[in-house]
């Protein structure tokens, strides 16, 4: 007669946490969470998910356009997790009077929406975004939640002369590792002719404050036309390249201070993308350009400082890409740089006959290129979604 095997004792939750933290991807974690209720209880605990997100940054899952979501497609590693977002409401249709709103930014699972004031007869498409009275809302598309922000107080907006405003950009600050997961910070950068004013709203404080950068005029002195068109975020710092001045504006969200960084010499038309490099350093990609000496090469450099003298850019790698195409940087998220490839002569093809445009990821650790998805058209200002499957995502507001 066979002897019954004694039941194995259950592992304590603390040991299960350490095992689950060693799973390589969020997709693996999601599969394990469905094995039994005790595993799911450990995995969906807020403290565990925060630890997992620290060790495993959320992967890039898709591209958000005005009305569509383009998920990663097989064989990309993110394809399986991207399929779980089919029901996410990235248009934030749950906002009141949805036609009043447009998306201005997306980060850490949150959408920043700006709308025309209640009762305004002007549509959102015709409303001047330089007006500081736009209504702001922070939305969670996965859990269909939103928070309306208070207006910027009059005593702060009085710091700006409306005719002097060149541009207003509204965006989300990255979430810190040591803050509550439902906390958020909104930045509203006002670019004037001689100064920059940054309005900041923190959900923890619940009110707006303002920071002025009076060195803006001196930084762009001698420039005929200088606008802050492209913004990158690396380890809690925002960077705006100014190639025509061989400079880059920097704002540190930890110290709340502006400064500048020198760029290596190069043509004013070059296209630069800034990313997080190894050891927390600042990395820089220079995209292929027909007018440069390297029309078929993606170049990569890292900003270094040996503790003596100024920082300097060290060239680390070159990546060959096919000739005869234009390469557009769609953004950086989830450990990837996303590129869209536009073949030569694409715009001369009638729209119904145009082929899908390929999008490729550049892995920021290995610098390997992988096909991400195909899109029928170009997207002017896309947002990238990096996150976990809904079953592993905590509410962000």
């Amino acid at each position: 007669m066979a002897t019954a095997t004694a039941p194995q004792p259950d592992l304590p939750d603390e040991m299960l946490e350490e095992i689950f933290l060693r799973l390589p991807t969020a997709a693996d974690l999601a599969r394990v969470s469905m094995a039994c209720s005790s595993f799911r209880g450990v995995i969906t605990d807020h403290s565990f998910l925060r630890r997992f997100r620290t060790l495993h940054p959320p992967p890039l899952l898709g591209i958000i356009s005005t009305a569509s979501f383009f998920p990663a497609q097989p064989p990309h590693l993110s394809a399986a997790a991207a399929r779980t977002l089919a029901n996410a409401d990235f248009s934030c249709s749950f906002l009141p009077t949805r036609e009043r709103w447009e998306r201005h930014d997306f980060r850490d699972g949150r959408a920043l929406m700006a709308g025309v004031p209640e009762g305004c007869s002007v549509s959102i498409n015709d409303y001047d975004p330089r007006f500081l009275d736009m209504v702001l809302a922070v939305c969670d598309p996965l859990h269909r939640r939103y928070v309306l922000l208070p207006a910027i107080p009059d005593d702060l907006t009085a710091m700006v002369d409306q005719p002097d405003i060149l541009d207003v950009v509204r965006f989300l600050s990255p979430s810190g590792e040591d803050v509550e997961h439902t906390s958020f910070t909104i930045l509203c950068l006002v670019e004037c002719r001689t100064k920059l004013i940054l309005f900041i709203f923190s959900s923890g404080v619940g009110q707006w404050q303002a920071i002025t950068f009076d060195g803006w005029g001196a930084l762009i002195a001698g420039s005929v036309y200088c606008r802050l068109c492209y913004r990158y975020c690396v380890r809690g710092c925002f960077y705006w390249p100014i190639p025509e001045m061989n400079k880059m504006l920097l704002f540190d969200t930890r110290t709340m201070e502006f400064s500048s960084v020198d760029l290596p010499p190069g043509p004013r038309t070059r296209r630069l993308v800034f990313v997080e490099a190894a050891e927390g350093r600042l990395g820089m990609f220079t995209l292929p350009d027909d007018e440069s000496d390297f029309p078929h090469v993606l170049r990569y450099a890292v900003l270094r400082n040996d503790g003596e003298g100024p920082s300097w850019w060290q060239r680390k790698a070159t990546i060959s890409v096919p000739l005869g195409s234009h390469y557009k940087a769609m953004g950086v998220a989830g450990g990837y740089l996303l590129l869209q490839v536009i073949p030569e002569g694409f715009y001369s093809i009638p729209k119904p006959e145009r082929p899908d445009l390929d999008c490729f990821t550049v892995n920021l650790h290995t610098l390997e290129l992988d096909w991400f998805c195909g899109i029928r058209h170009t997207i002017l200002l896309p947002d990238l979604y990096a996150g976990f499957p809904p079953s592993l995502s905590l509410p962000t507001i």
Side-chain angles (χ1 to χ4, degrees):
M1 184 174 66
T3 303
T5 304
Q8 297 294 317
D10 292 336
L11 293 175
D13 289 353
E14 293 79 6
M15 188 173 294
L16 289 174
E17 284 192 16
E18 296 304 319
I19 294 173
F20 296 156
L21 286 174
R22 286 163 173 76
L23 292 172
T25 69
D28 296 323
L29 191 66
R31 285 190 287 269
V32 170
S33 71
M34 294 185 290
C36 64
S37 59
S38 60
F39 285 6
R40 179 166 180 79
V42 172
I43 290 173
T44 56
D45 183 78
H46 288 192
S47 62
F48 172 80
L49 287 177
R50 279 196 294 269
R51 292 182 66 194
F52 189 86
R53 292 176 70 96
T54 301
L55 295 174
H56 307 273
L60 173 63
L61 299 184
I63 305 166
I64 306 171
S65 71
T66 302
S68 304
F69 177 71
F70 301 95
Q73 299 173 7
H76 200 275
L77 293 175
S78 297
R83 285 196 296 269
T84 66
L85 299 174
N87 296 323
D89 187 358
F90 290 110
S91 67
C92 300
S93 63
F94 46 85
L95 280 169
T97 322
R98 175 61 186 88
E99 63 274 9
R100 291 174 50 211
W101 304 87
E102 64 180 5
R103 189 180 66 257
H104 278 221
D105 195 22
F106 197 98
R107 182 182 299 277
D108 297 329
R110 303 182 183 99
L112 175 61
M113 309 292 287
V116 298
E118 191 71 48
C120 180
S121 60
V122 179
S123 71
I124 186 64
N125 294 326
D126 297 326
Y127 200 78
D128 192 335
R130 292 177 298 175
F131 289 160
L132 296 176
D133 62 350
M134 294 193 78
V135 183
L136 299 181
V138 178
C139 304
D140 181 339
L142 295 189
H143 298 88
R144 300 178 65 85
R145 300 181 179 184
Y146 69 91
V147 173
L148 295 177
L149 273 61
I152 302 176
D154 291 342
D155 62 319
L156 295 184
T157 58
M159 300 170 62
V160 184
D161 292 327
Q162 188 67 43
D164 195 40
I165 297 177
L166 298 176
D167 198 11
V168 176
V169 183
R170 303 163 180 88
F171 51 101
L172 289 150
S173 182
S175 298
E177 297 177 1
D178 55 348
V179 300
E180 180 63 30
H181 66 275
T182 56
S183 298
F184 59 84
T185 300
I186 304 301
L187 305 177
C188 178
L189 181 64
V190 181
E191 181 182 350
C192 301
R193 301 180 191 281
T194 59
K195 65 180 178 180
L196 296 177
I197 298 178
L198 183 66
F199 297 110
I200 303 171
F201 178 86
S202 170
S203 63
V205 177
Q207 63 184 23
W208 289 92
Q209 60 175 308
I211 296 175
T212 301
F213 179 49
D214 293 321
W216 175 240
L219 183 63
I220 62 173
S223 173
V224 176
Y225 178 83
C226 188
R227 299 289 290 275
L228 299 175
C229 297
Y230 300 100
R231 179 183 70 253
Y232 302 96
C233 185
V234 179
R235 293 185 66 83
C237 293
F238 284 101
Y239 297 89
W240 292 266
I242 313 173
E244 58 267 39
M245 305 300 296
N246 282 328
K247 295 284 187 180
M248 181 165 56
L249 179 69
L250 182 157
F251 178 73
D252 191 325
T253 62
R254 295 155 298 192
T255 63
M256 295 293 179
E257 294 179 347
F258 283 99
S259 60
S260 63
V261 176
D262 289 333
L263 293 175
R268 65 186 305 273
T269 57
R270 58 186 161 161
R271 295 175 296 140
L272 306 175
V273 179
F274 295 88
V275 301
E276 181 177 344
E279 301 176 351
R281 299 182 185 275
L282 180 65
M284 178 181 69
F285 284 97
T286 304
L287 272 61
D289 190 333
D290 292 338
E291 298 181 8
S292 73
D293 296 331
F294 306 95
H296 62 288
V297 168
L298 181 67
R299 290 173 288 160
Y300 181 57
V302 173
L303 186 64
R304 305 190 68 90
N305 190 311
D306 55 12
E308 300 180 4
S311 300
W312 51 285
W313 292 94
Q314 179 185 27
R315 183 170 296 179
K316 299 291 289 185
T318 57
I319 305 171
S320 297
V321 294
L323 287 168
S325 296
H326 176 78
Y327 294 85
K328 174 187 174 183
M330 301 189 76
V332 180
Y336 293 101
L337 163 64
L338 186 65
L339 299 175
Q340 187 174 43
V341 184
I342 305 173
E344 186 175 351
F346 174 79
Y347 294 106
S348 63
I349 303 174
K351 285 187 176 182
E353 302 174 14
R354 289 177 182 176
D356 285 355
L357 296 173
D358 289 323
C359 297
F360 289 85
T361 55
V362 180
N363 188 304
L364 300 184
H365 297 290
T366 65
L367 300 184
E368 295 177 346
L369 273 77
D370 291 297
W371 187 78
F372 186 75
C373 70
I375 299 178
R376 175 65 61 173
H377 51 82
T378 59
I379 302 176
L380 181 60
L381 294 173
D383 286 312
L384 304 186
Y385 182 84
F388 292 121
S391 62
L392 301 179
S393 297
L394 301 173
T396 59
I397 55 177

